[in-house]
């Protein structure tokens, strides 16, 4: 059972055994508009919490995607190369950006859970 | 004044709507010093024409003298309809096509231009233009570093010194190492032996600055076996009508100066930078790109695209800071290429080469004059028995523009002081060649 | 009247040809190729001896051929699909879309100015050097700064020139620094340029009044800051009233004050940069000085420099020698001893210089003062009239451009983009939209001085009517479907970015029959 956590920059991270999967939330994809291009990291790349890990581009905007935790990328989602629109249609599922191992699982404790993220979104829209 | 439509009555009515007493009152936030300028007051067209014609009269125009000047800027003929078409107000006075629904004219011509440049260079894609060949060269080298994630650049001694200088200047603060080889008038430098795994790119020019025409294929192969990109510069794009294209020889990025096909010399500017590369690199390309798409009625149309590379979106992470480029000159280039077509362009190139061959034969037999390159397109270096700059000055007095001395670019290289660059185009007549030969006989 | 339910405007009167009256459907040249055709008659080469070393191009280039009548028709038809200053009002904020005088074009085409080569001997080009020197004099006089670099090819290029001079000056005095400060409202070229110059870029917030927050700036200034890049008037169309205080704070911290001169049209003839404490500023000749935009250039961005920066100016520049005028062409030599290098091939954008000088001479110092006067008058007139229905972002006098935001469209379901597209059907080019980023859904309008009151009134009546229509709430589709009267409706930019098609491609050759 995965336990999803969220960052203030609208990344989600869910952990399954030793591997964490990272993507952007539905809110983020709707803010960006039609996604046209995604640059995902390669396996083996080290990332640190809050550091740049990927780039997502729509027609009029480009956004960094930050790593929610420190660790090593195991794979980037290559399928997004041909179908970047998957990020729009299924941001929490097939639209994942990359998988990684975690250096310190405790880093996730500081992130928002579903309830906290939903509250955060309500505050943003106000 | 003729460009100001407002009348005093208009101003009065508008000021009253705004609620201020005078136009000057709108500037109350500015510092109160009332500057005075040592400049004349306004003038009518007649006076302005007189003043500018006076400047023009002080110059010896290439229309009035046999001219063999080249070194990256070439004198060609353009058809009469070209200048009329680029002066159509809808092309001349339009802005960058940010609202595509009302800019399909500009956008379609950019798409056609991009295609023509790609075809001419035998590359996969081209952009909507850079400022000129020299800045395009700098941008190409920077792009190669981004693509390969390396930071060393090697520049051949056959590259136009301005392209080399601009590359060194523009890239000096971003952590790149640029090694420039000494000028190579004889064409003997060994680039292949210098290729290693640290290089991002090698920058060459073909035909080279001193005229040499070489096969870049072996160099391209060596580069690719080390993951190095080959950047090829084309200073005279007319050559692409006759000579094997850089893309065919394996170049990864091709940059060039389009001036010679776009219009008059114009004292060197504005020109237009040509920039072409492989499709797999498009997201690292600088400059504007125009792409094909459809509108809401399903009809084909064109838009600027892949804008997220550019400064207005990526800001400090942009591939370049370029915004305004050289749109109208790119249009002129494209219209000329359309007027020429395949038949015209290839024949134009053939005439240029034939005239250059004739010229080389005519002056190569003169005492003390030696044509340096074995193979060339429409320009070649010659060595003279005395300093080329002196020869040029003496012949200028006689009303002959004999060529460009290498010392103009390389004043510190003694061994180049007798080297002269001489170009011939379709505008170089027998009579001009006679005049040059006679002039050389007199002063050499 | 447009019928919002009629999605396909082309259905309205389908013709056999696809043309509709004076609106022509035009193929791309590769589709109207007549092989063997050419619009040029060239003689055969005199001979076929070659010195190509075997490097003769094989297989041709693949270019289409057309006769002259077809070429002229092709480009004439394409031009008719373009909006332009010659067609109508073009209030693009910060672009200064003023009338492009044809006298400038005539002068640039004088054979003595067009048919001259950048490397002809100095004795045969004195007029060209003198023209450049004269232009330099005009720009130095108008700005009050003592030195100038003419060679940058555009505004962004000029910014790079200014920053490179600043960096060279700092390095020469032993104190290389690492950061450039840029207001959050800055044009994207500013941070992009600072990055190319090797600087980290940090943003200075605005105060609530649309201007740079002086205190925030003072707090951030320090020994690591090389320069501050300020646009004045700023991108909100407002004069930075604390410009002098900003300059003083910057100088006290040992940094330099770069001014982005894109908005010079608002203040030309009325203030000198010395009064504003500016060390370097680029001038967009294709904005303030009327050289044509040409669909995306060419421009020119000459950069005026303070005494402290003058020595570092890039080559080439005009020098006064014993035998007349000459060009300093080599950084590190003679008068260019401390020059930071070369930014541009040949001698700079000479054709643009000719056009700009013709314009300056036409206006003179008295006329240029009227230019900024009428430009600012026109912008304030728009601001006041349009404020009846639109929401101006800032109160009070604006300079040459007026900034509105999308608060007036709240709850209508219509965005700034939709509103702009509806303006197109009214026959106006939309203003700059979504810039600056400091307000939501920005609409930045710069009328310039070359518009009549009648044009401004017509524009205001249309825009006010559109605003009222938007607020009524019963015509959302009209805005969403706009424009409908143009050669093309809205274009699919997502498709263009996802599957880029950047050129026409020839059909692959069919396999040879067995």
């Amino acid at each position: 059972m995965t336990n999803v956590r969220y960052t203030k920059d609208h990344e989600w991270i869910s952990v399954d055994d030793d591997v964490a999967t990272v993507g952007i939330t539905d809110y983020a994809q709707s803010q960006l508009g039609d996604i046209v291009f995604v640059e995902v990291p390669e396996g083996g790349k080290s990332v640190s919490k809050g550091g740049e890990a990927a780039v997502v581009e729509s027609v009029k905007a480009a956004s960094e995607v930050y790593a929610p935790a420190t660790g090593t990328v195991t794979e980037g989602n290559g399928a997004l190369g041909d179908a970047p629109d998957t990020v729009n249609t299924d941001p929490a599922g097939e639209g994942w950006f990359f998988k990684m191992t975690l250096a310190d699982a405790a880093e996730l404790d500081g992130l928002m859970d579903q309830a906290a993220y939903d509250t955060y979104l309500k505050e943003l829209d106000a | 004044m003729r460009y100001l439509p407002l009348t005093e009555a208009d101003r009065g009515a508008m000021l009253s709507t705004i609620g201020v007493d005078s136009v000057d009152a709108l500037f109350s936030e500015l510092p109160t010093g009332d500057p005075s300028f040592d400049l004349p007051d306004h003038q009518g067209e007649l006076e302005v024409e007189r003043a500018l014609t006076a400047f023009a009269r002080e110059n010896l125009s290439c229309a009035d003298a046999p001219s063999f000047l080249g070194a990256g800027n070439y004198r060609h003929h353009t058809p009469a309809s070209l200048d009329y078409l680029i002066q159509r107000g809808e092309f001349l006075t339009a802005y960058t096509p940010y609202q595509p629904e009302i800019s399909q004219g500009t956008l379609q011509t950019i798409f056609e231009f991009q295609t023509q440049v790609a075809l001419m260079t035998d590359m996969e894609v081209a952009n909507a233009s850079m400022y000129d060949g020299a800045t395009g060269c700098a941008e190409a080298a920077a792009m190669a570093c981004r693509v390969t994630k390396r930071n060393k650049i090697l520049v051949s001694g056959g590259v136009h010194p301005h392209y080399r200088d601009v590359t060194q200047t523009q890239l000096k603060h971003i952590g790149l190492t640029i090694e420039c080889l000494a000028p190579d008038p004889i064409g003997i430098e060994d680039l292949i032996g210098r290729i290693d795994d640290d290089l991002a790119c090698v920058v060459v020019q073909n035909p080279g600055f001193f005229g040499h025409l070489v096969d870049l294929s072996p160099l391209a192969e060596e580069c690719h076996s080390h993951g190095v990109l080959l950047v090829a510069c084309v200073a005279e794009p007319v050559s692409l009508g006759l000579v094997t294209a850089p893309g065919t020889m394996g170049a990864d990025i091709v940059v060039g100066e389009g001036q010679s096909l776009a219009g008059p010399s114009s004292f060197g500017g504005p020109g237009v930078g040509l920039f072409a590369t492989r499709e797999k690199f498009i997201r690292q390309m600088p400059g504007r790109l125009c792409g094909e798409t459809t509108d809401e009625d399903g009809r084909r149309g064109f838009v600027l695209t892949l804008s997220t590379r550019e400064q207005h979106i990526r800001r400090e992470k942009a591939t370049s800071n370029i915004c305004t480029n050289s749109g109208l000159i790119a249009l002129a280039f494209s219209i000329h290429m359309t007027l020429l077509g395949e038949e015209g362009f290839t024949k134009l190139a053939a005439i240029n080469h034939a005239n250059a061959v004739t010229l080389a034969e005519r002056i190569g037999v003169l005492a003390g004059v030696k044509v340096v390159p074995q193979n060339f397109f429409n320009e070649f270096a010659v060595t003279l028995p005395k300093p080329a700059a002196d020869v040029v000055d003496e012949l200028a007095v006689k009303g002959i523009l004999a060529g460009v001395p290498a010392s103009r670019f390389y004043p510190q290289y003694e061994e180049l002081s007798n080297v002269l660059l001489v170009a011939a185009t379709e505008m170089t007549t027998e009579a001009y060649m006679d005049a040059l030969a006679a002039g050389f006989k007199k002063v050499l | 009247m447009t019928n919002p339910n009629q999605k396909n405007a082309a259905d309205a009167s389908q013709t056999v040809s696809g043309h509709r009256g004076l609106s022509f459907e035009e193929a791309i040249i590769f589709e109207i190729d007549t092989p063997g055709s050419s619009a040029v008659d060239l003689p055969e080469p005199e001979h076929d001896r070659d010195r190509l070393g075997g490097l003769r191009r094989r297989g041709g280039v693949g270019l289409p051929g057309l006769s002259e009548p077809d070429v002229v028709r092709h480009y004439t038809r394409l031009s008719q699909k373009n909006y332009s200053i010659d067609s109508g009002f073009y209030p693009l904020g910060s672009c200064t879309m003023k009338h492009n005088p044809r006298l400038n074009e005539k002068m640039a085409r004088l054979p003595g100015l067009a048919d001259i080569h950048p490397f002809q001997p100095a004795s045969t080009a004195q007029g060209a050097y003198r023209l450049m020197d004269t232009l330099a004099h005009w720009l130095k006089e108008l700005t009050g700064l003592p030195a100038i670099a003419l060679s940058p090819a555009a505004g962004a290029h000029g910014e790079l020139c200014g920053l490179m001079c600043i960096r060279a000056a700092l390095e020469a005095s032993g104190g290389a620094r690492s950061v450039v400060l840029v207001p959050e409202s800055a044009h994207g070229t500013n941070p992009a340029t600072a990055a190319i110059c090797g600087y980290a870029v940090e943003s200075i917030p605005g105060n609530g009044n649309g201007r740079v927050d002086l205190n925030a700036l003072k707090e951030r200034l320090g020994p690591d800051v090389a320069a501050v890049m300020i646009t004045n008037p700023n991108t909100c169309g407002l004069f930075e009233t604390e410009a002098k205080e900003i300059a003083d704070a910057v100088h006290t911290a040992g940094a330099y004050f770069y001014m982005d001169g894109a908005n010079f049209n608002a203040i030309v003839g009325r203030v000198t940069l010395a009064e504003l404490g500016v060390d370097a500023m680029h001038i967009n000749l294709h904005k303030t000085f009327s050289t044509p935009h040409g669909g995306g250039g060419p421009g020119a961005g000459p950069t005026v420099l303070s005494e402290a920066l003058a020595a570092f100016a890039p080559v080439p520049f005009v020098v006064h020698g014993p035998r007349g005028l000459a060009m300093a062409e080599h950084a590190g030599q003679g008068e260019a001893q401390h020059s930071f290098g070369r930014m541009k091939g040949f001698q700079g954008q000479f054709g643009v210089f000719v056009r700009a000088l013709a314009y300056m001479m036409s206006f003179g110092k008295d006329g240029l003062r009227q230019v900024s006067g009428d430009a600012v008058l026109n912008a304030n007139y728009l601001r006041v009239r349009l404020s009846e229905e639109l929401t101006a972002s800032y109160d009070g006098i604006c300079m040459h451009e007026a900034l509105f935001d999308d608060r007036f469209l709240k709850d209508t379901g219509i965005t700034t983009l939709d509103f702009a597209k509806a303006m197109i059907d009214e026959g106006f080019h939309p203003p700059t939209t979504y810039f600056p980023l400091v307000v939501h859904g920005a609409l930045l309008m710069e009328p310039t001085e070359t518009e009549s009151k009648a044009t401004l009134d017509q524009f205001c009546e249309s825009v006010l009517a559109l605003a009222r229509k938007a607020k009524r709430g019963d015509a959302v589709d009209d805005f969403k479907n706009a424009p409908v009267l143009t050669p093309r409706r809205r274009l699919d930019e997502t498709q263009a970015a996802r599957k880029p098609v950047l050129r026409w491609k020839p059909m692959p050759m069919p396999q040879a029959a067995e």
Side-chain angles (χ1 to χ4, degrees), chain C residues 50 107 206 224 297 315 328 378 384 407 417 436 452 460 491 510:
Chain C
D50 84 56
M107 294 298 93
D224 61 337
V315 293
N378 280 356
V384 169
R407 283 174 294 156
L417 177 78
S452 66
C460 288
L491 290 132

mmCIF file of all heavy atoms in Angstrom, chain C residues 50 107 206 224 297 315 328 378 384 407 417 436 452 460 491 510:
data_model
loop_
_atom_site.group_PDB
_atom_site.id
_atom_site.type_symbol
_atom_site.label_atom_id
_atom_site.label_comp_id
_atom_site.label_asym_id
_atom_site.label_seq_id
_atom_site.Cartn_x
_atom_site.Cartn_y
_atom_site.Cartn_z
ATOM 1 N N ASP C 50 37.241 23.503 -63.569
ATOM 2 C CA ASP C 50 36.959 23.734 -62.155
ATOM 3 C C ASP C 50 38.150 23.471 -61.263
ATOM 4 O O ASP C 50 39.091 22.781 -61.625
ATOM 5 C CB ASP C 50 35.713 22.947 -61.697
ATOM 6 C CG ASP C 50 35.975 21.513 -61.303
ATOM 7 O OD1 ASP C 50 36.830 21.259 -60.419
ATOM 8 O OD2 ASP C 50 35.315 20.620 -61.864
ATOM 9 N N MET C 107 17.040 56.527 -48.139
ATOM 10 C CA MET C 107 18.424 56.881 -47.809
ATOM 11 C C MET C 107 19.306 55.638 -47.695
ATOM 12 O O MET C 107 20.446 55.620 -48.134
ATOM 13 C CB MET C 107 18.464 57.681 -46.497
ATOM 14 C CG MET C 107 17.789 59.050 -46.577
ATOM 15 S SD MET C 107 18.538 60.176 -47.769
ATOM 16 C CE MET C 107 17.562 59.870 -49.226
ATOM 17 N N GLY C 206 9.011 44.276 -6.312
ATOM 18 C CA GLY C 206 8.470 45.609 -6.488
ATOM 19 C C GLY C 206 7.802 46.053 -5.195
ATOM 20 O O GLY C 206 7.469 45.216 -4.351
ATOM 21 N N ASP C 224 29.111 41.414 -3.367
ATOM 22 C CA ASP C 224 29.046 40.400 -4.415
ATOM 23 C C ASP C 224 28.195 40.847 -5.603
ATOM 24 O O ASP C 224 28.098 40.135 -6.598
ATOM 25 C CB ASP C 224 28.482 39.091 -3.843
ATOM 26 C CG ASP C 224 27.074 39.256 -3.296
ATOM 27 O OD1 ASP C 224 26.688 40.395 -2.959
ATOM 28 O OD2 ASP C 224 26.360 38.238 -3.208
ATOM 29 N N GLY C 297 13.167 41.805 -36.905
ATOM 30 C CA GLY C 297 14.509 42.331 -37.077
ATOM 31 C C GLY C 297 14.778 42.649 -38.532
ATOM 32 O O GLY C 297 13.931 42.405 -39.378
ATOM 33 N N VAL C 315 35.139 46.369 -29.955
ATOM 34 C CA VAL C 315 35.435 46.805 -31.320
ATOM 35 C C VAL C 315 34.313 46.288 -32.204
ATOM 36 O O VAL C 315 33.649 45.313 -31.843
ATOM 37 C CB VAL C 315 36.795 46.255 -31.800
ATOM 38 C CG1 VAL C 315 37.914 46.886 -30.985
ATOM 39 C CG2 VAL C 315 36.851 44.748 -31.725
ATOM 40 N N ALA C 328 38.814 51.312 -35.331
ATOM 41 C CA ALA C 328 39.582 50.446 -34.437
ATOM 42 C C ALA C 328 38.944 49.072 -34.517
ATOM 43 O O ALA C 328 37.782 48.912 -34.150
ATOM 44 C CB ALA C 328 39.524 50.974 -33.010
ATOM 45 N N ASN C 378 -0.583 60.212 -25.458
ATOM 46 C CA ASN C 378 -1.441 59.172 -26.026
ATOM 47 C C ASN C 378 -1.669 58.031 -25.043
ATOM 48 O O ASN C 378 -2.793 57.517 -24.911
ATOM 49 C CB ASN C 378 -0.842 58.641 -27.331
ATOM 50 C CG ASN C 378 -1.121 59.555 -28.524
ATOM 51 O OD1 ASN C 378 -1.819 60.556 -28.404
ATOM 52 N ND2 ASN C 378 -0.583 59.215 -29.678
ATOM 53 N N VAL C 384 -6.867 56.691 -19.261
ATOM 54 C CA VAL C 384 -8.038 57.323 -18.647
ATOM 55 C C VAL C 384 -9.321 56.842 -19.313
ATOM 56 O O VAL C 384 -10.288 56.455 -18.650
ATOM 57 C CB VAL C 384 -7.904 58.859 -18.720
ATOM 58 C CG1 VAL C 384 -9.205 59.543 -18.353
ATOM 59 C CG2 VAL C 384 -6.779 59.315 -17.808
ATOM 60 N N ARG C 407 -8.474 41.851 -13.776
ATOM 61 C CA ARG C 407 -9.505 41.919 -12.731
ATOM 62 C C ARG C 407 -10.865 42.274 -13.334
ATOM 63 O O ARG C 407 -11.899 41.844 -12.837
ATOM 64 C CB ARG C 407 -9.118 42.958 -11.676
ATOM 65 C CG ARG C 407 -8.032 42.465 -10.713
ATOM 66 C CD ARG C 407 -7.569 43.572 -9.773
ATOM 67 N NE ARG C 407 -6.889 44.625 -10.506
ATOM 68 C CZ ARG C 407 -6.775 45.886 -10.083
ATOM 69 N NH1 ARG C 407 -7.321 46.260 -8.945
ATOM 70 N NH2 ARG C 407 -6.138 46.777 -10.812
ATOM 71 N N LEU C 417 -6.273 36.352 -22.837
ATOM 72 C CA LEU C 417 -6.033 35.812 -24.173
ATOM 73 C C LEU C 417 -7.282 35.925 -25.036
ATOM 74 O O LEU C 417 -7.242 36.396 -26.164
ATOM 75 C CB LEU C 417 -5.594 34.349 -24.079
ATOM 76 C CG LEU C 417 -5.374 33.661 -25.422
ATOM 77 C CD1 LEU C 417 -4.051 34.084 -26.013
ATOM 78 C CD2 LEU C 417 -5.419 32.145 -25.288
ATOM 79 N N PRO C 436 4.076 42.595 -18.098
ATOM 80 C CA PRO C 436 4.965 41.927 -17.155
ATOM 81 C C PRO C 436 4.237 40.906 -16.288
ATOM 82 O O PRO C 436 3.025 40.975 -16.133
ATOM 83 C CB PRO C 436 5.509 43.083 -16.312
ATOM 84 C CG PRO C 436 4.439 44.102 -16.356
ATOM 85 C CD PRO C 436 3.808 43.995 -17.717
ATOM 86 N N SER C 452 -3.191 59.066 -34.412
ATOM 87 C CA SER C 452 -4.063 60.235 -34.305
ATOM 88 C C SER C 452 -5.075 60.028 -33.188
ATOM 89 O O SER C 452 -5.319 58.902 -32.737
ATOM 90 C CB SER C 452 -4.809 60.430 -35.622
ATOM 91 O OG SER C 452 -5.698 59.353 -35.822
ATOM 92 N N CYS C 460 -10.551 52.951 -28.431
ATOM 93 C CA CYS C 460 -11.196 52.968 -27.117
ATOM 94 C C CYS C 460 -12.653 52.525 -27.226
ATOM 95 O O CYS C 460 -13.134 51.731 -26.408
ATOM 96 C CB CYS C 460 -11.118 54.357 -26.490
ATOM 97 S SG CYS C 460 -9.456 54.781 -25.947
ATOM 98 N N LEU C 491 -4.690 28.823 -33.644
ATOM 99 C CA LEU C 491 -3.863 27.714 -34.110
ATOM 100 C C LEU C 491 -3.455 26.823 -32.950
ATOM 101 O O LEU C 491 -3.312 27.274 -31.810
ATOM 102 C CB LEU C 491 -2.633 28.282 -34.830
ATOM 103 C CG LEU C 491 -3.074 28.910 -36.150
ATOM 104 C CD1 LEU C 491 -2.486 30.282 -36.349
ATOM 105 C CD2 LEU C 491 -2.704 27.997 -37.307
ATOM 106 N N PRO C 510 10.369 7.047 -54.875
ATOM 107 C CA PRO C 510 9.801 5.687 -54.969
ATOM 108 C C PRO C 510 10.900 4.687 -55.327
ATOM 109 O O PRO C 510 11.888 5.053 -55.951
ATOM 110 C CB PRO C 510 8.782 5.804 -56.114
ATOM 111 C CG PRO C 510 9.174 7.021 -56.869
ATOM 112 C CD PRO C 510 9.917 7.925 -55.937
#
